Amino acid sequence: MTTSVSKVYLLEMATGKAVEAELHDGVTEQQLEDWETKWFPVLFARQQQLVRTGVPLAGWSQSRQWSWRDKMARIECLLAYQTFCIVCECVTQGMIQIDMTKSARLDGQSGKPLVYIEYLEVAPWNRTELGQQAKFGGVGSILMRAAVEHSVNEEFHGRIGLHSLPQANDFYGNTCGMMDLGPDPDYENLRYFEMTPELARSFLDNGREP
Amino acid sequence: MKLDVTKKWCLEMARREGDAEVGAGLLAFDPEPKEPAEGTDEVHRHDDPHLAFGPLIALLRRRHGLTIEKLAVNADVDPGDLVSIERDPHYTPEPRTVFQLARVFRLPNKRLMQLSGLAVAKDARFRQAAVRFAALSGSIEALSKEEKTMLESFIKFLSEEEDKGR
């Protein structure tokens, strides 16, 4: 499988320095191997630590049940789905899977096609469970940018939608500037967020005030 | 798709993102939705097959000589979930956890979903068999001969019921 590669930058949180990385157009076997051999052992070790320290399940990583191998198998050969990943220091730092068959829900946009983010996850060392420092910052933003740019390329004008994991509501509502349509009873009561073409332009231009 | 993004944009967004959690997507996939049967309510009933789920997993784990951590690795599930399954009769696990346990122990997924409380068992015979199993299962460390017999019988019953449903 041939993938397109774009140069991007991550923020090394310990030093505050920019680190060159790659956005790959597609999740390949290499990413699945990284997930199995690099992400999973870290996740498992953290979960053991969470058990030992008595942290209730509500405080655990909310994507801990995900299997990217299953997710990729489910969309194999389906043209309506697309994936992207970020690679830095030869290791997968984050992955996203998007679906081009869904429609917008917001007033004024309802029924128009959008890019729906089925799954977005960053590597466990880029998260801060148990108080440790994340290694790289910006992985989520670049994956979101890939989804928005894909929406533009598909002539969906930057419209995207997603169901946020509870701990990530602030990122989508405030950092990405998406509209919060509230809990969705059909999707495990996760909050549904949507980005209009105007909000997408603002996100791409990085012109929004924090 | 080639992305034309500046270093400035990446770093500005990285600073705004900080160490925020950014995950998106359903917590679980392929769940068999929990639909209360007509005339029942959501509270646990005295004949709730859910009562048998924890004892069944505990006995199977012990029969295979597995610790909770080892089973968690084999099934690719959270050890914390397994602790809750075995010790809390009111705990409802994630659908994926049940699916993984069904795979590891070669049990019919549909029946295990019903035992776990994620799906509703509507036939009285199944419910009664599950509760009888729960009532008879003990908590001793090694499986007794009686426990082994009881476990084998219940697994056989689950598999037969699954075959009938096809």
Side-chain angles (χ1 to χ4, degrees):
Chain A
M1 180 178 172
T2 307
T3 58
S4 171
V5 177
S6 309
K7 184 159 73 170
V8 294
Y9 293 88
L10 300 176
L11 184 66
E12 191 174 55
M13 300 300 274
T15 62
K17 289 181 180 171
V19 180
E20 202 170 299
E22 295 173 339
L23 175 80
H24 290 223
D25 192 348
V27 166
T28 67
E29 182 61 27
Q30 182 58 55
Q31 275 66 58
L32 299 181
E33 284 180 16
D34 281 353
W35 173 75
E36 285 169 337
T37 62
K38 298 188 170 75
W39 292 30
F40 193 78
V42 176
L43 281 171
F44 187 68
R46 284 198 188 163
Q47 284 169 23
Q48 287 179 310
Q49 197 177 344
L50 289 164
V51 171
R52 280 195 298 272
T53 51
V55 175
L57 279 175
W60 293 24
S61 163
Q62 290 156 341
S63 54
R64 65 185 186 278
Q65 302 274 8
W66 290 358
S67 163
W68 278 93
R69 192 167 286 286
D70 290 348
K71 293 182 192 316
M72 292 306 295
R74 201 172 285 125
I75 63 165
E76 195 176 7
C77 301
L78 296 177
L79 295 174
Y81 291 83
Q82 175 68 42
T83 51
F84 299 95
C85 68
I86 293 174
V87 176
C88 185
E89 297 178 350
C90 300
V91 177
T92 307
Q93 304 293 335
M95 295 186 276
I96 186 172
Q97 184 181 110
I98 60 178
D99 172 2
M100 270 78 73
T101 64
K102 300 267 173 74
S103 303
R105 303 182 185 183
L106 271 172
D107 286 345
Q109 303 291 327
S110 181
K112 294 178 180 174
L114 56 60
V115 162
Y116 177 74
I117 296 173
E118 287 263 350
Y119 297 101
L120 186 156
E121 188 176 20
V122 300
W125 49 85
N126 295 327
R127 305 182 214 160
T128 56
E129 297 123 334
L130 292 171
Q132 72 276 40
Q133 187 175 44
K135 185 171 185 190
F136 295 120
V139 178
S141 299
I142 294 169
L143 291 173
M144 285 294 288
R145 175 147 189 159
V148 173
E149 299 255 14
H150 195 78
S151 172
V152 171
N153 284 353
E154 292 287 315
E155 300 186 349
F156 296 170
H157 306 286
R159 277 187 295 270
I160 63 169
L162 59 86
H163 287 88
S164 166
L165 293 182
Q167 290 160 354
N169 291 334
D170 182 63
F171 172 70
Y172 293 112
N174 295 321
T175 307
C176 298
M178 299 178 80
M179 299 291 289
D180 181 357
L181 278 71
D184 185 342
D186 294 330
Y187 283 77
E188 300 173 340
N189 273 326
L190 298 177
R191 299 187 84 85
Y192 178 71
F193 289 84
E194 210 167 278
M195 191 178 272
T196 63
E198 293 73 28
L199 292 173
R201 273 194 293 278
S202 175
F203 176 76
L204 295 178
D205 293 342
N206 196 15
R208 252 177 36 81
E209 290 300 318
Chain B
M1 179 185 79
K2 273 291 220 186
L3 200 67
D4 186 16
V5 55
T6 64
K7 186 176 182 179
K8 184 182 172 205
W9 188 94
C10 292
L11 297 183
E12 174 59 24
M13 287 307 295
R15 288 190 187 97
R16 290 190 191 189
E17 181 179 324
D19 56 8
E21 169 67 53
V22 300
L26 287 180
L27 298 170
F29 209 76
D30 295 336
E32 192 165 341
K34 184 176 182 175
E35 295 174 7
E38 277 185 37
T40 64
D41 53 27
E42 289 285 349
V43 300
H44 283 270
R45 295 158 47 113
H46 68 280
D47 62 344
D48 190 344
H50 192 179
L51 297 171
F53 185 59
L56 175 65
I57 297 302
L59 285 175
L60 284 168
R61 178 175 64 75
R62 287 161 53 201
R63 184 179 73 171
H64 287 80
L66 299 171
T67 62
I68 283 184
E69 289 201 348
K70 180 65 178 159
L71 174 58
V73 170
N74 290 356
D76 183 15
V77 299
D78 291 332
D81 270 356
L82 295 178
V83 171
S84 298
I85 286 168
E86 292 193 9
R87 295 181 188 171
D88 180 359
H90 301 302
Y91 177 73
T92 302
E94 300 281 352
R96 181 180 172 275
T97 302
V98 178
F99 179 83
Q100 293 292 88
L101 291 171
R103 180 182 59 79
V104 164
F105 291 130
R106 298 176 187 277
L107 292 172
N109 187 48
K110 183 180 170 187
R111 281 307 193 191
L112 208 59
M113 292 289 273
Q114 291 172 339
L115 283 178
S116 72
L118 287 167
V120 176
K122 295 180 180 175
D123 54 308
R125 194 164 154 260
F126 172 74
R127 299 171 72 92
Q128 288 162 8
V131 173
R132 194 163 57 247
F133 171 78
L136 291 173
S137 57
S139 59
I140 57 175
E141 285 308 309
L143 285 185
S144 66
K145 188 178 173 187
E146 289 75 20
E147 278 183 312
K148 280 181 188 164
T149 306
M150 180 182 65
L151 181 60
E152 300 300 341
S153 302
F154 188 54
I155 290 171
K156 188 170 175 232
F157 174 81
L158 289 177
S159 301
E160 286 170 354
E161 288 292 297
E162 179 78 353
D163 291 341
K164 281 183 198 169
R166 284 180 184 144

